[in-house]
Amino acid sequence: MSNLSVTIRNIAEAAHVSVATVSRALNNSPAVTDKTRERVFTVANKLGYVPNSVAKSLKTNHTQTIGFMVSDITNSDYISIARIVEDIVRPRGYNLILCSTGNRREQELDYLKMLFSKSIDGLILNTTGFNNSYILKMNEKLPIVLLNRSISSPKFHGDFVSTNSYLGSYLLTQHLLALGHRRIFVVRGPLHLNNSVERFLGFADAMEQAGCPVGVNYPYVYCGEYTRENGINAVIKALSMDPLPTAIISHSNMPMLGILEELHRREVGAPKLSLASYDDIPSLNLMKIQPTIAHFDTIALGRQVARSILEHIQNPQIEHREYIFDPCIVPGNLDA
């Protein structure tokens, strides 16, 4: 339980260190050893110490807060990454402010303004792609790490951490082609997002190499936001076509949830369709229908995001870096 009367002098006495050492430890000074820092934080938590964040921010120009803004908090991947990031930054004295934009331009802009007004120390951002000019302005004064969606501008200064969109989609498509599928229905993302473009390019290149070019007249395409609802709508379109597609590939796990829901409602499965999904499906092993997936190491992804934002906060002059994680393909049980 927090105790507003506890001071750093109380912590120093209980931890058997000096007041100066407590101050340095709570401010994550490199002059303090990890062992001493851990002892100070343990005692501080036990005593219920609550730092005066207002006074501290005025003195150090840091609020010890990091913003984490994602497009859809219902996506299990972002929940997992947020938990990993918090586990890493919290022992270093930072609190995480989590926001979900719902892929909406106005909501993202409101959150960006709110976080900037709170003088956060850094921002982890899965952008909607609609407010990039404002984000670049923020980036002039604020360390930013982009997650999964990049900003194509030489003005951006920060890290980009993502999965290999092109390779994941390419390998999934190759897998379906190897099973003999040629009428592959692709559920792609919004045209303005870089990862959507890269995933579709991976699909198109694999199809081209198999002698199935995907031109402007390729009929088996559904384009929309990465949402469960669009997965349902995609199935409705796919099953109305003549001839029917023999496989469906979703370029995000969120539409795949809608695809699975609608196929279950319609009692459609093997041997009629093979399914493939970019990224993991929650509780996949419990499902009767299990798509082939492009699996990524979410733990490694989350750790890199946390390392990147902490490093940019400590040294804002670090050059732009990219960390791209490759997939492995996990076959499903509808391969026909």
Side-chain angles (χ1 to χ4, degrees):
M1 183 178 295
S2 61
N3 188 342
L4 297 178
S5 65
V6 174
T7 67
I8 61 173
R9 187 174 297 278
N10 300 134
I11 299 172
E13 292 174 355
H16 305 294
V17 295
S18 68
V19 171
T21 297
V22 173
S23 179
R24 294 190 190 101
L26 294 177
N27 286 286
N28 291 296
S29 169
V32 180
T33 65
D34 290 341
K35 183 177 181 180
T36 300
R37 182 182 293 106
E38 184 178 350
R39 183 163 82 250
V40 168
F41 271 99
T42 299
V43 171
N45 290 332
K46 184 177 180 180
L47 295 178
Y49 172 68
V50 179
N52 186 331
S53 59
V54 175
K56 182 178 180 181
S57 65
L58 290 173
K59 181 179 178 181
T60 66
N61 202 31
H62 290 286
T63 59
Q64 297 301 118
T65 55
I66 296 172
F68 192 155
M69 193 180 306
V70 298
S71 55
D72 186 356
I73 197 58
T74 64
N75 189 321
S76 60
D77 284 345
Y78 292 136
I79 296 173
S80 298
I81 292 172
R83 184 180 299 114
I84 294 164
V85 171
E86 185 175 41
D87 287 345
I88 293 174
V89 304
R90 189 167 178 79
R92 290 161 175 79
Y94 289 95
N95 291 311
L96 208 61
I97 302 177
L98 184 60
C99 305
S100 179
T101 66
N103 278 308
R104 291 188 285 272
R105 181 199 304 261
E106 296 80 8
Q107 189 160 318
E108 180 185 55
L109 185 58
D110 286 344
Y111 277 137
L112 288 170
K113 291 178 178 178
M114 179 271 291
L115 291 173
F116 197 57
S117 71
K118 290 184 176 296
S119 300
I120 58 174
D121 296 325
L123 174 63
I124 300 165
L125 177 62
N126 173 235
T127 175
T128 65
F130 294 123
N131 296 298
N132 291 347
S133 294
Y134 186 84
I135 293 166
L136 289 173
K137 283 291 184 182
M138 289 179 62
N139 188 217
E140 294 175 2
K141 299 181 179 180
L142 179 71
I144 297 177
V145 170
L146 296 175
L147 173 62
N148 283 343
R149 299 174 182 178
S150 66
I151 295 178
S152 300
S153 171
K155 294 181 179 180
F156 177 72
H157 181 80
D159 287 359
F160 175 52
V161 183
S162 184
T163 58
N164 195 327
S165 290
Y166 176 90
L167 182 62
S169 176
Y170 180 85
L171 293 177
L172 283 175
T173 308
Q174 273 199 329
H175 177 83
L176 294 175
L177 289 166
L179 294 173
H181 297 289
R182 294 299 181 267
R183 298 195 304 274
I184 302 176
F185 190 94
V186 57
V187 184
R188 64 173 302 183
L191 300 179
H192 70 281
L193 294 177
N194 73 291
N195 59 354
S196 173
V197 173
E198 291 166 6
R199 292 172 195 180
F200 190 77
L201 183 59
F203 167 76
D205 282 355
M207 292 289 282
E208 176 79 26
Q209 292 169 16
C212 303
V214 178
V216 292
N217 295 321
Y218 184 78
Y220 301 103
V221 180
Y222 183 92
C223 181
E225 296 288 342
Y226 291 135
T227 63
R228 191 184 195 118
E229 291 72 22
N230 275 332
I232 294 173
N233 293 334
V235 170
I236 294 172
K237 177 182 177 180
L239 297 186
S240 70
M241 303 182 75
D242 186 16
L244 288 170
T246 60
I248 298 177
I249 179 172
S250 174
H251 282 170
S252 170
N253 54 0
M254 293 305 292
M256 180 52 68
L257 292 174
I259 290 168
L260 291 169
E261 179 182 328
E262 186 65 13
L263 290 178
H264 176 73
R265 190 182 73 82
R266 292 169 176 255
E267 298 182 346
V268 176
K272 293 185 178 180
L273 280 174
S274 286
L275 300 178
S277 174
Y278 190 96
D279 226 332
D280 292 315
I281 307 296
S283 303
L284 181 64
N285 61 320
L286 302 178
M287 294 184 177
K288 183 177 180 181
I289 300 176
Q290 298 176 9
T292 293
I293 60 171
H295 167 76
F296 297 89
D297 189 341
T298 305
I299 295 175
L301 194 68
R303 286 173 176 167
Q304 184 55 59
V305 169
R307 282 195 296 265
S308 287
I309 194 61
L310 288 172
E311 288 169 2
H312 276 277
I313 290 172
Q314 293 165 5
N315 181 9
Q317 304 307 315
I318 294 176
E319 294 297 321
H320 171 75
R321 303 172 299 186
E322 292 190 357
Y323 299 93
I324 309 299
F325 291 79
D326 289 342
C328 65
I329 301 301
V330 181
N333 64 358
L334 287 186
D335 293 342

